[in-house]
Amino acid sequence: MKAPINPDLRNPAGLAHNENGGSPEWQRAGLSMRPQKLGLRILVTCFWMLLFAATPGVLAQVKKPDKPVEQPASTKPQPAAERQSQIQKVFAVKHADVDAIARTLSIFPVPVHPNRELRVIGVSAPVALMPTIEETIRRLDVPPAAPKNVELTVYLLLASDQESSSSSLPPDLESVAKQLMATFAFKGFRVVDTLVLRSRDKQSADVRGLAKLDPDIPNPSTYSLSHRGASILSDEKGHSIRLDDLRFKAQIGVKRQQAGGSAVIAYETIEAGFGTNVDVREGQKVVVGKAAVGGTNTALILVITAKILE
């Protein structure tokens, strides 16, 4: 079965046909439209050319400079002839701490290489700066100051309620005895022993000894004196010595008498002592402690004077 055909398609001239025998209408329309389309295209092309045309300002920006831009003077590399020549030196350190000197040299803008094992410092610096670095090391590398010595003179006094002649005390202790009598109920003093302790600054010291406190007791008493450190202090008034953990201990022999009588039935040993921290002004006498001797009316008193030995 054949499909129906549009009658217009049977006309070989197309949809429109000029019965007068002239050209078809679509052909005449096409010929008349071609000049219009061509003019429109030319107009659009000219518009786009004007829109994207490079202006003189843009061309000036895009155009490369004829000569390179000069760098600022601060960043412009200097010729090799103008740079300062570098030298290297190794300094031997004899006395001071190597790392301490190296830290001090860090103020200079140069590389510093310390070596603790070899006790040397390597430096790379400009020729003009090296003499200053060398002088700095020379001033810092000096022997440490010799430590000073501290000498303590300690008077071990036996104080009692019995009067004693003033001749039993040396003249330089009479003023101390007067102060003690005004402070305590003692009437007499006797020097049992004189001790001398010598140590370096901030170093410890100790001494031990025997003392005959009572002539009626056959065995002497024993004592010990020590301190953990004697430090030298200085101020506007002069020097003083700080005694840390000063300790005095004594093993004292005493008589045990019969109740209600004076007969001695035995000898005993008792302990006495004290501990303190004290500052002693150089050249002055200082009472640093008192230790009662059992139940008796006697006591051991320590008087200390100090001086610094260069």
Side-chain angles (χ1 to χ4, degrees):
M1 183 176 181
K2 296 182 179 180
I5 300 175
N6 189 347
D8 294 334
L9 296 179
R10 296 173 181 171
N11 187 357
L15 295 176
H17 180 71
N18 189 352
E19 295 180 354
N20 297 325
S23 300
E25 294 180 1
W26 64 272
Q27 293 181 356
R28 295 198 305 269
L31 291 175
S32 62
M33 292 176 63
R34 286 179 182 175
Q36 297 178 1
K37 291 182 179 180
L38 182 59
L40 180 61
R41 290 177 181 176
I42 294 174
L43 180 62
V44 172
T45 303
C46 293
F47 173 75
W48 284 105
M49 291 178 64
L50 292 174
L51 181 64
F52 291 99
T55 62
V58 174
L59 293 176
Q61 295 179 1
V62 174
K63 186 178 179 181
K64 295 183 179 179
D66 295 335
K67 58 180 180 179
V69 180
E70 293 186 358
Q71 298 180 355
S74 59
T75 60
K76 186 177 181 180
Q78 297 180 353
E82 296 182 4
R83 292 197 299 265
Q84 297 185 8
S85 59
Q86 300 279 323
I87 60 173
Q88 293 75 38
K89 276 193 175 184
V90 177
F91 300 93
V93 180
K94 298 179 180 180
H95 308 287
D97 183 79
V98 174
D99 291 336
I101 293 182
R103 288 192 296 269
T104 304
L105 295 179
S106 63
I107 63 174
F108 299 105
V110 297
V112 178
H113 306 282
N115 190 309
R116 290 184 59 87
E117 289 75 16
L118 300 179
R119 293 192 59 80
V120 296
I121 297 177
V123 180
S124 177
V127 176
L129 185 58
M130 188 61 76
T132 303
I133 296 176
E134 188 171 359
E135 177 65 15
T136 301
I137 295 176
R138 187 188 67 81
R139 289 177 176 271
L140 296 177
D141 186 24
V142 295
K148 297 180 180 180
N149 293 325
V150 176
E151 183 180 272
L152 302 178
T153 301
V154 183
Y155 301 97
L156 182 59
L157 304 182
L158 180 64
S160 66
D161 56 356
Q162 303 295 322
E163 293 185 0
S164 61
S165 61
S166 58
S167 59
S168 60
L169 288 178
D172 54 349
L173 290 179
E174 290 181 0
S175 60
V176 176
K178 292 179 180 179
Q179 294 178 3
L180 291 173
M181 286 187 290
T183 305
F184 304 104
F186 299 124
K187 298 180 180 180
F189 300 91
R190 176 170 65 92
V191 177
V192 176
D193 203 354
T194 301
L195 318 176
V196 176
L197 284 83
R198 183 175 293 181
S199 64
R200 288 190 172 182
D201 183 22
K202 299 180 177 62
Q203 299 296 318
S204 60
D206 65 272
V207 65
R208 299 174 184 272
L210 302 174
K212 194 74 172 176
L213 300 182
D214 190 340
D216 297 332
I217 298 177
N219 296 326
S221 301
T222 62
Y223 63 85
S224 65
L225 178 66
S226 65
H227 62 75
R228 188 164 50 87
S231 304
I232 299 175
L233 306 177
S234 301
D235 55 23
E236 65 278 0
K237 297 181 180 180
H239 301 292
S240 61
I241 292 87
R242 172 166 295 173
L243 301 176
D244 294 323
D245 197 19
L246 178 70
R247 293 187 176 275
F248 173 76
K249 296 180 181 180
Q251 302 284 334
I252 304 172
V254 296
K255 296 179 290 188
R256 190 174 68 178
Q257 297 176 334
Q258 186 178 11
S262 58
V264 177
I265 59 176
Y267 296 100
E268 297 178 343
T269 300
I270 61 174
E271 293 184 356
F274 57 84
T276 184
N277 300 313
V278 64
D279 292 347
V280 180
R281 179 70 63 180
E282 186 179 17
Q284 293 184 353
K285 294 177 177 61
V286 178
V287 178
V288 298
K290 177 177 73 73
V293 180
T296 64
N297 295 326
T298 59
L300 289 173
I301 297 176
L302 251 63
V303 180
I304 294 181
T305 182
K307 65 179 180 178
I308 300 171
L309 305 178
E310 301 294 340

